[in-house]
Amino acid sequence: MDRLFQITARGSRISTELLAGVTTFLTMVYIVIVNPGILSEAGMDFHGVFVATVLASIIATLIMALASNYPIVIAPGMGLNAYFAFSVVGGEGVSWQIALGAVFVAGVLFVLLSLTSFRYMLLDAIPTGLKHAITAGIGLFITFIGLQKASIIVASPSTLITLGTLSEPMTYLTIIGLMISLILMSYRVQGYLFIGMIITAILAWIMGLLDMPATFAAMPSGLNATAFQLDIAGVFEEGLYAVIFTFLLITLFDTTGTMLGVAEQAGLLKDNKFPRSRGALMADAVGTASGALLGTSPTSAYIESSAGVAVGGRTGLTAVTVSVLLALTLFFSPTVAVLANIPAITAPALIIVGFLMINVLRQIEWNDIEEAFPAFLIVVLMPLTYSIATGIGIGFIAYPILKLIRGKGRDVHPILYVFAVLFFVQIVFFNH
């Protein structure tokens, strides 16, 4: 094992790697509860998505561990699942089978990009400010969804949205659950989101808002309801090219940014370069494609991997440990289904993850109007149009226009002009 993962060479020990794996697992296991809950709102079978979530995570994470030897975990990405359920299925009005087809096409394109140097050209073509804006916009979108699920924000005939009735049991329990998670977070408790969910679940049971499942564990089932149900032909019939591009774009640079950040934290960069990057990106690409086949939204590298690195994780053994623990969750689907059905349990996680994502706003050059205003449009239009793709598209259109007006058209990468034209055509002529 030491030879396989170079544990000693990286200054680690097997016991340290195992502890790092447990730590990372506790920080990211909330996704097996939240992801099926979100995608089930698109009409997908909860148990099928739960199994698909776990299996796609295991497949991608094991490839990461064995092909690149990094302590990085991959699982269905927050934001991407919301985009899948609420923008593509809910907004575009297509079936979840077609949405899975779009994920699969994006995954295949990601695989092809991972084998070529074009992935770097694509990443370089997008200005840093727009990348940060997309991350922040998705964070705001996720937070908005969390507030909606808990009825903290409700529809209003006069103002579109307004504050809900905070005296409703589920609503004030959400606020209590949010405060519990924030307190745990402020004291740097590992796994604060998951622990917060468990404490909130206990409170929900005491308040009579949660019924205990007939059995806490059972053999995995339901995958046949989501696996191999994707409709690829429908993707092209509906003209979901912007959706494919959005899935691909977010997965590509979100994963790359997270991997670089975790690798730098672990001291694994060589001359500021990312060794074995092809295998690492391939892990996420295969995870996205296989996830679509099984029945879940695109995967992404998890920044929660940094928690395992913080306690000493330096090799793929950390990722393998997480995979083993994820496999064990397959036998607790009855419990997961009950927890995911209570908004007060899942909404705080959405709100806090959104908060963490929106932190990147401070890295945008706000005193530069050409950089700042397109970024601003992306951030505000994602939740206000209820569409991640629309927010990205309008920002990508505004950026080159402002540069051209200022006589700086040559500063814009040619690929970005192509993206701007494609988004303009999509939004103006083919927007559903």
Side-chain angles (χ1 to χ4, degrees), residues 334-391:
T335 303
V336 171
V338 169
L339 297 179
N341 198 40
I342 307 296
I345 296 174
T346 57
L350 294 172
I351 296 168
I352 291 175
V353 169
F355 158 73
L356 294 174
M357 295 178 72
I358 210 168
N359 275 336
V360 297
L361 283 176
R362 60 187 174 184
Q363 300 180 44
I364 296 174
E365 295 291 336
W366 291 107
N367 58 346
D368 185 345
I369 186 67
E370 303 149 24
E371 299 287 332
F373 192 73
F376 165 75
L377 289 176
I378 290 174
V379 173
V380 299
L381 288 177
M382 281 190 188
L384 294 181
T385 63
Y386 223 69
S387 171
I388 292 174
T390 299

Side-chain angles (χ1 to χ4, degrees), residues 56-70 72-75 104 106-117 119-120 123 248 251-252 255-256 259 274-291 298-301:
S57 303
I58 291 173
I59 291 169
T61 301
L62 285 178
I63 294 174
M64 173 67 72
L66 300 175
S68 294
N69 197 23
Y70 283 118
I72 298 174
V73 175
I74 297 175
F104 181 76
V108 172
L109 291 175
F110 195 3
V111 170
L112 297 176
L113 283 176
S114 299
L115 297 174
T116 69
S117 59
R119 64 185 183 275
Y120 298 114
L123 289 169
L248 175 63
T251 305
L252 180 61
T255 289
T256 303
M259 288 179 183
F274 189 38
R276 301 177 302 282
S277 61
R278 176 174 294 180
L281 288 173
M282 184 63 72
D284 192 20
V286 173
T288 294
S290 61
T299 58
S300 181

Side-chain angles (χ1 to χ4, degrees), residues 30-261:
Y30 69 87
I31 193 62
V32 306
I33 299 174
V34 175
N35 194 56
I38 290 177
L39 297 192
S40 63
E41 296 197 27
M44 301 183 70
D45 180 78
F46 179 92
H47 295 285
V49 175
F50 168 69
V51 176
T53 298
V54 175
L55 292 181
S57 303
I58 291 173
I59 291 169
T61 301
L62 285 178
I63 294 174
M64 173 67 72
L66 300 175
S68 294
N69 197 23
Y70 283 118
I72 298 174
V73 175
I74 297 175
M78 292 292 292
L80 287 165
N81 49 13
Y83 174 58
F84 180 104
F86 302 109
S87 292
V88 181
V89 177
E92 299 283 348
V94 301
S95 67
W96 59 263
Q97 290 91 341
I98 292 177
L100 283 178
V103 174
F104 181 76
V105 174
V108 172
L109 291 175
F110 195 3
V111 170
L112 297 176
L113 283 176
S114 299
L115 297 174
T116 69
S117 59
F118 184 72
R119 64 185 183 275
Y120 298 114
M121 184 186 301
L122 185 60
L123 289 169
D124 292 340
I126 303 168
T128 302
L130 296 190
K131 294 177 185 175
H132 293 321
I134 292 171
T135 300
I138 292 172
L140 191 58
F141 185 49
I142 291 174
T143 297
F144 187 44
I145 291 170
L147 294 171
Q148 280 184 305
K149 285 173 65 69
S151 296
I152 295 175
I153 287 177
V154 296
S156 167
S158 57
T159 61
L160 296 184
I161 57 173
T162 188
L163 187 67
T165 305
L166 302 186
S167 60
E168 289 293 325
M170 192 64 73
T171 303
Y172 71 72
L173 179 59
T174 301
I175 296 172
I176 293 172
L178 178 61
M179 293 306 301
I180 290 171
S181 293
L182 288 174
I183 291 170
L184 294 171
M185 181 183 178
S186 66
Y187 281 96
R188 302 182 185 279
V189 176
Q190 300 292 350
Y192 60 89
L193 283 178
F194 181 66
I195 296 172
M197 284 180 169
I198 298 303
I199 295 175
T200 306
I202 294 172
L203 292 176
W205 175 69
I206 293 173
M207 294 170 60
L209 299 175
L210 183 152
D211 295 325
M212 288 294 181
T215 177
F216 289 95
M219 292 298 293
S221 63
L223 187 59
N224 61 314
T226 59
F228 302 104
Q229 301 293 318
L230 67 170
D231 181 359
I232 298 175
V235 175
F236 300 100
E237 291 172 2
E238 295 287 340
L240 301 182
Y241 304 107
V243 171
I244 295 171
F245 177 72
T246 301
F247 279 137
L248 175 63
L249 183 67
I250 297 173
T251 305
L252 180 61
F253 75 71
D254 186 43
T255 289
T256 303
T258 299
M259 288 179 183
L260 286 171

